[in-house]
Amino acid sequence: MKKLTHFVAAAALATAVAFGGSAMAQNNETTDLYQILERVTTKETPSYVSLTPKMQSLVTIATLATLGDEDLLASNIAKALKDGIAPVEIRETLYQGMAYVGMSYITRAEKVFMEECEEAGVALPLPSATTVNDDNRFDEGLKVQKGIFGAGIDAMHKAAKEDEKHLSIDLLTGFCFGDTYTRTGLTLKEREFLTFVYISALGGCEPQVKAHAAGNISVGNTRQMLIDALVVMVPYIGFPKTLNAFGMVNEVTAK
């Protein structure tokens, strides 16, 4: 059963909103802070972005998982489940962040997700989405990596110093791409899009934001999609992170 602490902390977040925004209490005790957040996420954001409601919801969930906000995360996952977003899609949205924000944040987010699934009557455990094993995870990850970033991956591998190969080749290709991008439940385009979201939400990772903005363009996502993601994210991550990520999108798409 769901722990009561979730409800205590999220008492002001009882009613979830459309388009992946945060959930707001509809009572006289709602604070000014949540009224502002509700206005931005439910009235302004949907009028400015063209992402589907599902993708807006997944962007919000990825952002909150990055920030470690378990209360808003719980509310938005509950709303996503109620709106008919497949539990596997929500789980895979969380798993896509494991190589970017780290397992500590994602295991906590998965715990929140499982509690919300239990509350919603979703049968657990969900089917595994793993498609690789210890023998082929590197090779399969390399296929995905090169499919997104092209022949530059070969050059990067060739240039790697001996003492950094395990980090910049083995783990990056095997863990980040082999264990993550090869999973079922989301498309490659969706996974690369959510990677951009995770890294942008972290802040201070502009080289990686730029690389994955380019990766998104490579797989067929658009500049407008990246901007829309940042519009959805800005109430949660703030303007400095948002504008830094936007600058990277501009650099990639300037031509």
Side-chain angles (χ1 to χ4, degrees):
M1 295 297 292
K2 179 186 294 297
K3 293 183 178 179
L4 291 177
T5 51
H6 258 328
F7 288 107
V8 173
L13 309 176
T15 304
V17 298
F19 305 108
S22 59
M24 301 298 157
Q26 295 183 345
N27 57 54
N28 293 331
E29 296 178 1
T30 301
T31 67
D32 289 350
L33 179 65
Y34 285 114
Q35 289 176 355
I36 292 170
L37 181 57
E38 181 179 24
R39 181 176 68 247
V40 173
T41 57
T42 68
K43 298 178 181 179
E44 294 183 350
T45 296
S47 67
Y48 283 107
V49 304
S50 55
L51 296 176
T52 64
K54 181 189 87 169
M55 192 51 64
Q56 291 182 55
S57 181
L58 297 184
V59 167
T60 302
I61 287 169
T63 301
L64 295 171
T66 305
L67 300 176
D69 190 328
E70 296 184 12
D71 300 318
L72 284 175
L73 179 62
S75 299
N76 279 275
I77 289 175
K79 176 62 166 57
L81 291 170
K82 183 178 179 181
D83 284 349
I85 298 177
V88 167
E89 291 179 305
I90 301 171
R91 182 193 65 186
E92 292 306 309
T93 293
L94 297 176
Y95 277 33
Q96 188 61 26
M98 63 186 178
Y100 300 102
V101 304
M103 285 290 194
S104 176
Y105 281 91
I106 300 306
T107 54
R108 281 155 41 195
E110 183 181 42
K111 181 180 178 182
V112 173
F113 166 70
M114 293 176 70
E115 289 174 346
E116 293 303 327
C117 282
E118 184 176 305
E119 187 71 17
V122 175
L124 297 174
L126 298 177
S128 174
T130 300
T131 65
V132 297
N133 54 47
D134 289 350
D135 295 327
N136 67 5
R137 59 192 284 271
F138 180 89
D139 291 337
E140 294 302 314
L142 184 60
K143 290 178 186 178
V144 176
Q145 193 178 16
K146 292 174 72 171
I148 298 173
F149 298 105
I153 298 301
D154 288 331
M156 183 183 74
H157 285 187
K158 186 176 181 179
K161 297 180 176 63
E162 192 63 33
D163 63 353
E164 67 184 46
K165 285 184 177 179
H166 181 60
L167 177 63
S168 63
I169 298 179
D170 297 341
L171 282 172
L172 183 61
T173 298
F175 172 45
C176 189
F177 289 91
D179 290 336
T180 306
Y181 278 80
T182 62
R183 296 176 62 82
T184 60
L186 292 173
T187 67
L188 176 63
K189 292 174 68 172
E190 289 170 335
R191 288 188 180 279
E192 182 61 11
F193 185 61
L194 290 167
T195 293
F196 170 82
V197 171
Y198 273 111
I199 299 174
S200 297
L202 279 172
C205 303
E206 279 66 50
Q208 290 76 27
V209 173
K210 184 176 180 179
H212 282 279
N216 270 272
I217 300 301
S218 173
V219 300
N221 293 330
T222 66
R223 166 186 165 88
Q224 190 60 55
M225 289 174 64
L226 300 179
I227 294 173
D228 285 353
L230 294 173
V231 172
V232 173
M233 296 166 67
V234 67
Y236 305 105
I237 67 173
F239 272 99
K241 289 180 182 179
T242 301
L243 295 180
N244 286 347
F246 180 57
M248 297 300 98
V249 173
N250 274 342
E251 286 192 24
V252 167
T253 60
K255 297 181 180 180

